[in-house]
Amino acid sequence: SHWHKHRKIITPTFHFNILEKFVEVFNEKGKVLIKRLKEKANQETFDVYPYINIYAFDAIIETAMGLKWNAQEDAESDYVRAIYQITNIVHKRSFSVLHRSPITFPLTSLGKQQKEVLRVLHEYCDKVIQQRKEELSKIPAVSQESISDDIGRKRRLAFLDLLCMQRDSSELSDQDIREEVNTFLFAGHDTTSSGMAFSLYYLANYPDVQQKVYEEIMEVLEDPDKDLTLQDLNKFKYLDQVVKEILRLAPPVPFYWKQTFRI
């Protein structure tokens, strides 16, 4: 019942036109990622996952909370560190019978670490929610069309803004909103990072497939520096097949996880 009520409220936040605006974020953050990877090109072998992971976080923190973090260039903040710590804690718990138990886990050093990390995450998220609510409350009859930035351009709304603006948002407490934002943030950046990293791995191992993907991208975009649009993405027929096959071979949420937590 809890999920069903929230689902009805948050579904409008994923309207096609809203998602289209998020592509701007992916373009902006993607250019930073490409710049960082170019610095590694034609050099020694390196682990690409940290680069992909911080890119995904950088993109999702802006779409989820409306924060321009620039995490790819500066990942040394308490909040960013807490994100990685809680992700690692969850992974460790999935492999340990002792840590999996809700009775014994709080008594372990890892359990105490999780309590502190959650404090940092929740306090920061609650602070951002309050700030966003105060900003939105100052705008009469708020709607997607009426919100503009300082120079009159329509402002790109984050997932958090859209939650606060929902007609039934009064049914969502600050804790409810925090839960939805955290789900969007954690489920989004961790699984997306895995999917992208494995995509690069498989493309590297199958140069003929990589070449076909490259040719299709160049055919659709013509200019490699051109920003992607949602319409462009719909034209990548072969790339779409490749991504889906990679997700079949290396699903971001592995089998043991589904069995352990009954997802």
mmCIF file of all heavy atoms in Angstrom, residues 71-118:
data_model
loop_
_atom_site.group_PDB
_atom_site.id
_atom_site.type_symbol
_atom_site.label_atom_id
_atom_site.label_comp_id
_atom_site.label_asym_id
_atom_site.label_seq_id
_atom_site.Cartn_x
_atom_site.Cartn_y
_atom_site.Cartn_z
ATOM 1 N N ALA A 71 31.007 16.726 -9.591
ATOM 2 C CA ALA A 71 31.706 15.686 -8.839
ATOM 3 C C ALA A 71 32.873 15.090 -9.612
ATOM 4 O O ALA A 71 33.827 14.598 -9.019
ATOM 5 C CB ALA A 71 30.722 14.579 -8.453
ATOM 6 N N GLN A 72 32.807 15.129 -10.953
ATOM 7 C CA GLN A 72 33.894 14.563 -11.749
ATOM 8 C C GLN A 72 35.189 15.344 -11.573
ATOM 9 O O GLN A 72 36.278 14.806 -11.745
ATOM 10 C CB GLN A 72 33.522 14.534 -13.234
ATOM 11 C CG GLN A 72 32.366 13.604 -13.545
ATOM 12 C CD GLN A 72 32.048 13.555 -15.016
ATOM 13 O OE1 GLN A 72 32.598 12.760 -15.768
ATOM 14 N NE2 GLN A 72 31.126 14.404 -15.447
ATOM 15 N N GLU A 73 35.040 16.610 -11.226
ATOM 16 C CA GLU A 73 36.216 17.452 -11.045
ATOM 17 C C GLU A 73 36.569 17.650 -9.584
ATOM 18 O O GLU A 73 37.688 18.030 -9.247
ATOM 19 C CB GLU A 73 35.973 18.807 -11.731
ATOM 20 C CG GLU A 73 35.800 18.657 -13.241
ATOM 21 C CD GLU A 73 35.181 19.885 -13.875
ATOM 22 O OE1 GLU A 73 34.616 20.707 -13.132
ATOM 23 O OE2 GLU A 73 35.262 20.007 -15.103
ATOM 24 N N ASP A 74 35.586 17.399 -8.707
ATOM 25 C CA ASP A 74 35.842 17.542 -7.272
ATOM 26 C C ASP A 74 34.975 16.551 -6.505
ATOM 27 O O ASP A 74 33.812 16.823 -6.208
ATOM 28 C CB ASP A 74 35.547 18.969 -6.801
ATOM 29 C CG ASP A 74 35.803 19.149 -5.307
ATOM 30 O OD1 ASP A 74 36.518 18.300 -4.737
ATOM 31 O OD2 ASP A 74 35.296 20.127 -4.732
ATOM 32 N N ALA A 75 35.527 15.380 -6.213
ATOM 33 C CA ALA A 75 34.768 14.328 -5.533
ATOM 34 C C ALA A 75 35.051 14.287 -4.030
ATOM 35 O O ALA A 75 34.667 13.350 -3.343
ATOM 36 C CB ALA A 75 35.095 12.972 -6.157
ATOM 37 N N GLU A 76 35.741 15.305 -3.505
ATOM 38 C CA GLU A 76 36.148 15.272 -2.099
ATOM 39 C C GLU A 76 35.185 16.049 -1.208
ATOM 40 O O GLU A 76 35.538 17.052 -0.603
ATOM 41 C CB GLU A 76 37.568 15.858 -1.955
ATOM 42 C CG GLU A 76 38.637 15.031 -2.659
ATOM 43 C CD GLU A 76 38.679 13.604 -2.154
ATOM 44 O OE1 GLU A 76 38.616 13.400 -0.922
ATOM 45 O OE2 GLU A 76 38.762 12.689 -2.985
ATOM 46 N N SER A 77 33.947 15.596 -1.125
ATOM 47 C CA SER A 77 32.990 16.215 -0.207
ATOM 48 C C SER A 77 32.418 15.127 0.688
ATOM 49 O O SER A 77 32.414 13.943 0.326
ATOM 50 C CB SER A 77 31.861 16.905 -0.983
ATOM 51 O OG SER A 77 30.959 15.953 -1.503
ATOM 52 N N ASP A 78 31.922 15.516 1.847
ATOM 53 C CA ASP A 78 31.374 14.544 2.797
ATOM 54 C C ASP A 78 30.211 13.770 2.185
ATOM 55 O O ASP A 78 30.069 12.561 2.400
ATOM 56 C CB ASP A 78 30.908 15.256 4.070
ATOM 57 C CG ASP A 78 32.078 15.807 4.881
ATOM 58 O OD1 ASP A 78 33.207 15.330 4.668
ATOM 59 O OD2 ASP A 78 31.844 16.703 5.714
ATOM 60 N N TYR A 79 29.378 14.466 1.409
ATOM 61 C CA TYR A 79 28.200 13.821 0.836
ATOM 62 C C TYR A 79 28.593 12.785 -0.213
ATOM 63 O O TYR A 79 28.074 11.667 -0.221
ATOM 64 C CB TYR A 79 27.276 14.870 0.216
ATOM 65 C CG TYR A 79 25.946 14.298 -0.233
ATOM 66 C CD1 TYR A 79 24.989 13.902 0.694
ATOM 67 C CD2 TYR A 79 25.658 14.146 -1.587
ATOM 68 C CE1 TYR A 79 23.775 13.370 0.289
ATOM 69 C CE2 TYR A 79 24.446 13.614 -2.000
ATOM 70 C CZ TYR A 79 23.509 13.230 -1.062
ATOM 71 O OH TYR A 79 22.313 12.701 -1.458
ATOM 72 N N VAL A 80 29.524 13.144 -1.097
ATOM 73 C CA VAL A 80 29.976 12.205 -2.126
ATOM 74 C C VAL A 80 30.628 10.989 -1.485
ATOM 75 O O VAL A 80 30.375 9.838 -1.875
ATOM 76 C CB VAL A 80 30.960 12.882 -3.107
ATOM 77 C CG1 VAL A 80 31.537 11.864 -4.090
ATOM 78 C CG2 VAL A 80 30.266 14.001 -3.870
ATOM 79 N N ARG A 81 31.465 11.231 -0.467
ATOM 80 C CA ARG A 81 32.106 10.103 0.227
ATOM 81 C C ARG A 81 31.061 9.205 0.888
ATOM 82 O O ARG A 81 31.186 7.977 0.888
ATOM 83 C CB ARG A 81 33.100 10.629 1.276
ATOM 84 C CG ARG A 81 34.439 11.045 0.693
ATOM 85 C CD ARG A 81 35.482 11.161 1.794
ATOM 86 N NE ARG A 81 35.157 12.243 2.715
ATOM 87 C CZ ARG A 81 35.576 13.502 2.574
ATOM 88 N NH1 ARG A 81 36.351 13.816 1.566
ATOM 89 N NH2 ARG A 81 35.242 14.428 3.444
ATOM 90 N N ALA A 82 30.018 9.821 1.457
ATOM 91 C CA ALA A 82 28.964 9.043 2.114
ATOM 92 C C ALA A 82 28.212 8.176 1.106
ATOM 93 O O ALA A 82 27.832 7.036 1.424
ATOM 94 C CB ALA A 82 27.992 9.985 2.834
ATOM 95 N N ILE A 83 28.014 8.693 -0.100
ATOM 96 C CA ILE A 83 27.347 7.924 -1.149
ATOM 97 C C ILE A 83 28.124 6.646 -1.431
ATOM 98 O O ILE A 83 27.567 5.544 -1.494
ATOM 99 C CB ILE A 83 27.232 8.748 -2.448
ATOM 100 C CG1 ILE A 83 26.259 9.924 -2.262
ATOM 101 C CG2 ILE A 83 26.793 7.855 -3.615
ATOM 102 C CD1 ILE A 83 24.812 9.537 -2.249
ATOM 103 N N TYR A 84 29.439 6.786 -1.598
ATOM 104 C CA TYR A 84 30.266 5.619 -1.911
ATOM 105 C C TYR A 84 30.365 4.665 -0.725
ATOM 106 O O TYR A 84 30.383 3.449 -0.896
ATOM 107 C CB TYR A 84 31.659 6.072 -2.360
ATOM 108 C CG TYR A 84 31.657 6.665 -3.739
ATOM 109 C CD1 TYR A 84 31.981 7.998 -3.943
ATOM 110 C CD2 TYR A 84 31.299 5.893 -4.842
ATOM 111 C CE1 TYR A 84 31.949 8.553 -5.215
ATOM 112 C CE2 TYR A 84 31.267 6.423 -6.109
ATOM 113 C CZ TYR A 84 31.595 7.761 -6.297
ATOM 114 O OH TYR A 84 31.558 8.285 -7.544
ATOM 115 N N GLN A 85 30.425 5.222 0.473
ATOM 116 C CA GLN A 85 30.527 4.373 1.661
ATOM 117 C C GLN A 85 29.279 3.521 1.842
ATOM 118 O O GLN A 85 29.373 2.319 2.129
ATOM 119 C CB GLN A 85 30.760 5.249 2.900
ATOM 120 C CG GLN A 85 32.167 5.827 2.977
ATOM 121 C CD GLN A 85 32.311 6.830 4.122
ATOM 122 O OE1 GLN A 85 31.334 7.379 4.612
ATOM 123 N NE2 GLN A 85 33.546 7.074 4.534
ATOM 124 N N ILE A 86 28.090 4.118 1.669
ATOM 125 C CA ILE A 86 26.860 3.350 1.878
ATOM 126 C C ILE A 86 26.702 2.293 0.791
ATOM 127 O O ILE A 86 26.203 1.184 1.040
ATOM 128 C CB ILE A 86 25.615 4.274 1.939
ATOM 129 C CG1 ILE A 86 24.409 3.529 2.540
ATOM 130 C CG2 ILE A 86 25.263 4.813 0.571
ATOM 131 C CD1 ILE A 86 24.587 3.126 3.964
ATOM 132 N N THR A 87 27.153 2.607 -0.422
ATOM 133 C CA THR A 87 27.098 1.626 -1.513
ATOM 134 C C THR A 87 27.988 0.433 -1.199
ATOM 135 O O THR A 87 27.588 -0.731 -1.377
ATOM 136 C CB THR A 87 27.534 2.266 -2.843
ATOM 137 O OG1 THR A 87 26.700 3.395 -3.122
ATOM 138 C CG2 THR A 87 27.414 1.269 -3.995
ATOM 139 N N ASN A 88 29.202 0.701 -0.706
ATOM 140 C CA ASN A 88 30.119 -0.382 -0.354
ATOM 141 C C ASN A 88 29.598 -1.216 0.820
ATOM 142 O O ASN A 88 29.764 -2.435 0.855
ATOM 143 C CB ASN A 88 31.497 0.199 -0.007
ATOM 144 C CG ASN A 88 32.223 0.734 -1.215
ATOM 145 O OD1 ASN A 88 32.007 0.266 -2.334
ATOM 146 N ND2 ASN A 88 33.083 1.726 -1.005
ATOM 147 N N ILE A 89 28.961 -0.536 1.779
ATOM 148 C CA ILE A 89 28.401 -1.247 2.940
ATOM 149 C C ILE A 89 27.316 -2.220 2.493
ATOM 150 O O ILE A 89 27.266 -3.376 2.938
ATOM 151 C CB ILE A 89 27.853 -0.251 3.979
ATOM 152 C CG1 ILE A 89 29.007 0.501 4.658
ATOM 153 C CG2 ILE A 89 27.000 -0.963 5.024
ATOM 154 C CD1 ILE A 89 28.557 1.656 5.522
ATOM 155 N N VAL A 90 26.437 -1.771 1.608
ATOM 156 C CA VAL A 90 25.364 -2.635 1.108
ATOM 157 C C VAL A 90 25.948 -3.846 0.376
ATOM 158 O O VAL A 90 25.482 -4.979 0.537
ATOM 159 C CB VAL A 90 24.421 -1.844 0.178
ATOM 160 C CG1 VAL A 90 23.445 -2.786 -0.521
ATOM 161 C CG2 VAL A 90 23.641 -0.805 0.977
ATOM 162 N N HIS A 91 26.991 -3.613 -0.419
ATOM 163 C CA HIS A 91 27.631 -4.721 -1.132
ATOM 164 C C HIS A 91 28.243 -5.726 -0.151
ATOM 165 O O HIS A 91 28.119 -6.940 -0.331
ATOM 166 C CB HIS A 91 28.710 -4.181 -2.069
ATOM 167 C CG HIS A 91 28.154 -3.481 -3.264
ATOM 168 N ND1 HIS A 91 28.916 -2.741 -4.131
ATOM 169 C CD2 HIS A 91 26.887 -3.412 -3.747
ATOM 170 C CE1 HIS A 91 28.153 -2.246 -5.077
ATOM 171 N NE2 HIS A 91 26.917 -2.633 -4.869
ATOM 172 N N LYS A 92 28.911 -5.218 0.870
ATOM 173 C CA LYS A 92 29.530 -6.116 1.849
ATOM 174 C C LYS A 92 28.471 -6.923 2.600
ATOM 175 O O LYS A 92 28.654 -8.110 2.869
ATOM 176 C CB LYS A 92 30.363 -5.303 2.846
ATOM 177 C CG LYS A 92 31.647 -4.730 2.255
ATOM 178 C CD LYS A 92 32.409 -3.904 3.289
ATOM 179 C CE LYS A 92 33.682 -3.324 2.692
ATOM 180 N NZ LYS A 92 34.411 -2.467 3.666
ATOM 181 N N ARG A 93 27.360 -6.287 2.937
ATOM 182 C CA ARG A 93 26.298 -6.987 3.666
ATOM 183 C C ARG A 93 25.731 -8.148 2.855
ATOM 184 O O ARG A 93 25.344 -9.179 3.407
ATOM 185 C CB ARG A 93 25.162 -6.023 4.012
ATOM 186 C CG ARG A 93 25.487 -5.026 5.102
ATOM 187 C CD ARG A 93 24.229 -4.325 5.587
ATOM 188 N NE ARG A 93 23.376 -5.223 6.336
ATOM 189 C CZ ARG A 93 22.164 -4.912 6.790
ATOM 190 N NH1 ARG A 93 21.669 -3.713 6.547
ATOM 191 N NH2 ARG A 93 21.448 -5.784 7.461
ATOM 192 N N SER A 94 25.675 -7.976 1.538
ATOM 193 C CA SER A 94 25.075 -9.007 0.694
ATOM 194 C C SER A 94 25.902 -10.293 0.673
ATOM 195 O O SER A 94 25.396 -11.351 0.310
ATOM 196 C CB SER A 94 24.883 -8.486 -0.731
ATOM 197 O OG SER A 94 26.132 -8.250 -1.350
ATOM 198 N N PHE A 95 27.183 -10.203 1.062
ATOM 199 C CA PHE A 95 28.055 -11.377 1.043
ATOM 200 C C PHE A 95 28.289 -11.961 2.438
ATOM 201 O O PHE A 95 29.017 -12.936 2.582
ATOM 202 C CB PHE A 95 29.411 -11.021 0.429
ATOM 203 C CG PHE A 95 29.364 -10.821 -1.059
ATOM 204 C CD1 PHE A 95 29.396 -9.550 -1.601
ATOM 205 C CD2 PHE A 95 29.282 -11.899 -1.925
ATOM 206 C CE1 PHE A 95 29.346 -9.364 -2.976
ATOM 207 C CE2 PHE A 95 29.238 -11.732 -3.295
ATOM 208 C CZ PHE A 95 29.271 -10.457 -3.824
ATOM 209 N N SER A 96 27.711 -11.353 3.468
ATOM 210 C CA SER A 96 27.998 -11.785 4.837
ATOM 211 C C SER A 96 26.721 -12.158 5.587
ATOM 212 O O SER A 96 25.806 -11.347 5.706
ATOM 213 C CB SER A 96 28.731 -10.668 5.591
ATOM 214 O OG SER A 96 28.824 -10.962 6.963
ATOM 215 N N VAL A 97 26.686 -13.371 6.088
ATOM 216 C CA VAL A 97 25.533 -13.816 6.866
ATOM 217 C C VAL A 97 25.425 -13.006 8.158
ATOM 218 O O VAL A 97 24.338 -12.596 8.577
ATOM 219 C CB VAL A 97 25.648 -15.316 7.198
ATOM 220 C CG1 VAL A 97 24.507 -15.757 8.112
ATOM 221 C CG2 VAL A 97 25.647 -16.151 5.919
ATOM 222 N N LEU A 98 26.550 -12.752 8.825
ATOM 223 C CA LEU A 98 26.567 -11.973 10.063
ATOM 224 C C LEU A 98 26.028 -10.563 9.832
ATOM 225 O O LEU A 98 25.209 -10.066 10.605
ATOM 226 C CB LEU A 98 27.997 -11.904 10.617
ATOM 227 C CG LEU A 98 28.209 -11.010 11.845
ATOM 228 C CD1 LEU A 98 27.435 -11.563 13.040
ATOM 229 C CD2 LEU A 98 29.690 -10.891 12.174
ATOM 230 N N HIS A 99 26.497 -9.925 8.770
ATOM 231 C CA HIS A 99 26.101 -8.550 8.489
ATOM 232 C C HIS A 99 24.689 -8.456 7.918
ATOM 233 O O HIS A 99 24.074 -7.388 7.951
ATOM 234 C CB HIS A 99 27.085 -7.913 7.500
ATOM 235 C CG HIS A 99 28.414 -7.624 8.119
ATOM 236 N ND1 HIS A 99 29.601 -7.671 7.415
ATOM 237 C CD2 HIS A 99 28.756 -7.308 9.382
ATOM 238 C CE1 HIS A 99 30.609 -7.375 8.221
ATOM 239 N NE2 HIS A 99 30.119 -7.146 9.426
ATOM 240 N N ARG A 100 24.172 -9.559 7.427
ATOM 241 C CA ARG A 100 22.846 -9.522 6.823
ATOM 242 C C ARG A 100 21.744 -9.519 7.887
ATOM 243 O O ARG A 100 20.631 -9.073 7.637
ATOM 244 C CB ARG A 100 22.683 -10.739 5.902
ATOM 245 C CG ARG A 100 21.610 -10.574 4.825
ATOM 246 C CD ARG A 100 21.572 -11.799 3.930
ATOM 247 N NE ARG A 100 22.851 -11.975 3.256
ATOM 248 C CZ ARG A 100 23.227 -13.107 2.674
ATOM 249 N NH1 ARG A 100 22.434 -14.155 2.706
ATOM 250 N NH2 ARG A 100 24.398 -13.186 2.070
ATOM 251 N N SER A 101 22.047 -10.015 9.047
ATOM 252 C CA SER A 101 21.042 -10.099 10.103
ATOM 253 C C SER A 101 20.766 -8.718 10.708
ATOM 254 O O SER A 101 21.684 -8.020 11.133
ATOM 255 C CB SER A 101 21.526 -11.048 11.207
ATOM 256 O OG SER A 101 20.692 -10.943 12.340
ATOM 257 N N PRO A 102 19.505 -8.300 10.774
ATOM 258 C CA PRO A 102 19.162 -7.004 11.368
ATOM 259 C C PRO A 102 19.411 -6.960 12.878
ATOM 260 O O PRO A 102 19.414 -5.890 13.475
ATOM 261 C CB PRO A 102 17.667 -6.855 11.055
ATOM 262 C CG PRO A 102 17.176 -8.255 10.909
ATOM 263 C CD PRO A 102 18.306 -9.028 10.295
ATOM 264 N N ILE A 103 19.616 -8.142 13.488
ATOM 265 C CA ILE A 103 19.855 -8.204 14.935
ATOM 266 C C ILE A 103 21.336 -7.984 15.246
ATOM 267 O O ILE A 103 21.703 -7.193 16.120
ATOM 268 C CB ILE A 103 19.390 -9.563 15.504
ATOM 269 C CG1 ILE A 103 17.881 -9.725 15.283
ATOM 270 C CG2 ILE A 103 19.742 -9.665 16.990
ATOM 271 C CD1 ILE A 103 17.352 -11.091 15.695
ATOM 272 N N THR A 104 22.200 -8.691 14.512
ATOM 273 C CA THR A 104 23.642 -8.612 14.800
ATOM 274 C C THR A 104 24.333 -7.458 14.077
ATOM 275 O O THR A 104 25.341 -6.942 14.558
ATOM 276 C CB THR A 104 24.331 -9.933 14.401
ATOM 277 O OG1 THR A 104 24.103 -10.174 12.995
ATOM 278 C CG2 THR A 104 23.787 -11.088 15.204
ATOM 279 N N PHE A 105 23.784 -7.033 12.941
ATOM 280 C CA PHE A 105 24.479 -6.016 12.137
ATOM 281 C C PHE A 105 24.731 -4.712 12.886
ATOM 282 O O PHE A 105 25.842 -4.155 12.825
ATOM 283 C CB PHE A 105 23.707 -5.751 10.840
ATOM 284 C CG PHE A 105 24.348 -4.701 9.980
ATOM 285 C CD1 PHE A 105 25.593 -4.913 9.381
ATOM 286 C CD2 PHE A 105 23.725 -3.476 9.774
ATOM 287 C CE1 PHE A 105 26.183 -3.944 8.599
ATOM 288 C CE2 PHE A 105 24.310 -2.506 8.991
ATOM 289 C CZ PHE A 105 25.542 -2.736 8.397
ATOM 290 N N PRO A 106 23.758 -4.142 13.608
ATOM 291 C CA PRO A 106 24.000 -2.881 14.316
ATOM 292 C C PRO A 106 25.126 -2.952 15.341
ATOM 293 O O PRO A 106 25.685 -1.917 15.734
ATOM 294 C CB PRO A 106 22.660 -2.580 14.990
ATOM 295 C CG PRO A 106 21.656 -3.330 14.184
ATOM 296 C CD PRO A 106 22.358 -4.592 13.750
ATOM 297 N N LEU A 107 25.467 -4.169 15.785
ATOM 298 C CA LEU A 107 26.502 -4.336 16.802
ATOM 299 C C LEU A 107 27.903 -4.392 16.206
ATOM 300 O O LEU A 107 28.890 -4.285 16.935
ATOM 301 C CB LEU A 107 26.249 -5.629 17.602
ATOM 302 C CG LEU A 107 24.867 -5.754 18.260
ATOM 303 C CD1 LEU A 107 24.724 -7.111 18.930
ATOM 304 C CD2 LEU A 107 24.652 -4.622 19.278
ATOM 305 N N THR A 108 27.995 -4.547 14.877
ATOM 306 C CA THR A 108 29.300 -4.653 14.217
ATOM 307 C C THR A 108 29.854 -3.272 13.901
ATOM 308 O O THR A 108 29.133 -2.268 13.924
ATOM 309 C CB THR A 108 29.176 -5.457 12.915
ATOM 310 O OG1 THR A 108 28.356 -4.712 11.984
ATOM 311 C CG2 THR A 108 28.548 -6.813 13.172
ATOM 312 N N SER A 109 31.151 -3.211 13.603
ATOM 313 C CA SER A 109 31.773 -1.935 13.234
ATOM 314 C C SER A 109 31.170 -1.402 11.944
ATOM 315 O O SER A 109 31.016 -0.186 11.771
ATOM 316 C CB SER A 109 33.287 -2.124 13.073
ATOM 317 O OG SER A 109 33.574 -3.095 12.086
ATOM 318 N N LEU A 110 30.815 -2.321 11.031
ATOM 319 C CA LEU A 110 30.196 -1.904 9.770
ATOM 320 C C LEU A 110 28.810 -1.307 10.020
ATOM 321 O O LEU A 110 28.414 -0.330 9.384
ATOM 322 C CB LEU A 110 30.090 -3.096 8.819
ATOM 323 C CG LEU A 110 29.868 -2.773 7.335
ATOM 324 C CD1 LEU A 110 31.059 -2.020 6.770
ATOM 325 C CD2 LEU A 110 29.617 -4.043 6.539
ATOM 326 N N GLY A 111 28.093 -1.890 10.984
ATOM 327 C CA GLY A 111 26.774 -1.367 11.326
ATOM 328 C C GLY A 111 26.861 0.028 11.914
ATOM 329 O O GLY A 111 26.041 0.907 11.607
ATOM 330 N N LYS A 112 27.866 0.263 12.748
ATOM 331 C CA LYS A 112 28.055 1.593 13.336
ATOM 332 C C LYS A 112 28.476 2.601 12.270
ATOM 333 O O LYS A 112 28.071 3.773 12.302
ATOM 334 C CB LYS A 112 29.102 1.514 14.446
ATOM 335 C CG LYS A 112 28.636 0.676 15.641
ATOM 336 C CD LYS A 112 29.736 0.464 16.658
ATOM 337 C CE LYS A 112 29.267 -0.430 17.813
ATOM 338 N NZ LYS A 112 30.349 -0.715 18.772
ATOM 339 N N GLN A 113 29.284 2.130 11.324
ATOM 340 C CA GLN A 113 29.685 3.006 10.232
ATOM 341 C C GLN A 113 28.480 3.390 9.381
ATOM 342 O O GLN A 113 28.331 4.549 8.990
ATOM 343 C CB GLN A 113 30.728 2.306 9.353
ATOM 344 C CG GLN A 113 31.229 3.189 8.203
ATOM 345 C CD GLN A 113 32.125 2.426 7.231
ATOM 346 O OE1 GLN A 113 32.376 1.236 7.400
ATOM 347 N NE2 GLN A 113 32.600 3.112 6.221
ATOM 348 N N GLN A 114 27.607 2.416 9.129
ATOM 349 C CA GLN A 114 26.414 2.703 8.334
ATOM 350 C C GLN A 114 25.534 3.747 9.028
ATOM 351 O O GLN A 114 24.990 4.646 8.372
ATOM 352 C CB GLN A 114 25.600 1.422 8.106
ATOM 353 C CG GLN A 114 24.287 1.682 7.379
ATOM 354 C CD GLN A 114 23.503 0.420 7.117
ATOM 355 O OE1 GLN A 114 23.839 -0.347 6.242
ATOM 356 N NE2 GLN A 114 22.450 0.195 7.892
ATOM 357 N N LYS A 115 25.391 3.634 10.340
ATOM 358 C CA LYS A 115 24.563 4.593 11.088
ATOM 359 C C LYS A 115 25.082 6.016 10.917
ATOM 360 O O LYS A 115 24.305 6.961 10.708
ATOM 361 C CB LYS A 115 24.559 4.211 12.576
ATOM 362 C CG LYS A 115 23.677 5.099 13.439
ATOM 363 C CD LYS A 115 23.677 4.626 14.888
ATOM 364 C CE LYS A 115 22.794 5.530 15.753
ATOM 365 N NZ LYS A 115 22.791 5.094 17.172
ATOM 366 N N GLU A 116 26.404 6.186 10.960
ATOM 367 C CA GLU A 116 26.990 7.514 10.807
ATOM 368 C C GLU A 116 26.847 8.016 9.372
ATOM 369 O O GLU A 116 26.538 9.188 9.137
ATOM 370 C CB GLU A 116 28.478 7.468 11.198
ATOM 371 C CG GLU A 116 29.231 8.766 10.981
ATOM 372 C CD GLU A 116 28.655 9.937 11.760
ATOM 373 O OE1 GLU A 116 27.959 9.709 12.780
ATOM 374 O OE2 GLU A 116 28.898 11.090 11.350
ATOM 375 N N VAL A 117 27.060 7.124 8.420
ATOM 376 C CA VAL A 117 26.948 7.505 7.007
ATOM 377 C C VAL A 117 25.516 7.923 6.687
ATOM 378 O O VAL A 117 25.285 8.925 6.001
ATOM 379 C CB VAL A 117 27.386 6.334 6.092
ATOM 380 C CG1 VAL A 117 27.031 6.629 4.641
ATOM 381 C CG2 VAL A 117 28.880 6.090 6.220
ATOM 382 N N LEU A 118 24.534 7.174 7.196
ATOM 383 C CA LEU A 118 23.137 7.524 6.962
ATOM 384 C C LEU A 118 22.785 8.868 7.584
ATOM 385 O O LEU A 118 21.969 9.625 7.038
ATOM 386 C CB LEU A 118 22.221 6.433 7.521
ATOM 387 C CG LEU A 118 22.180 5.119 6.742
ATOM 388 C CD1 LEU A 118 21.309 4.094 7.461
ATOM 389 C CD2 LEU A 118 21.668 5.345 5.331
#
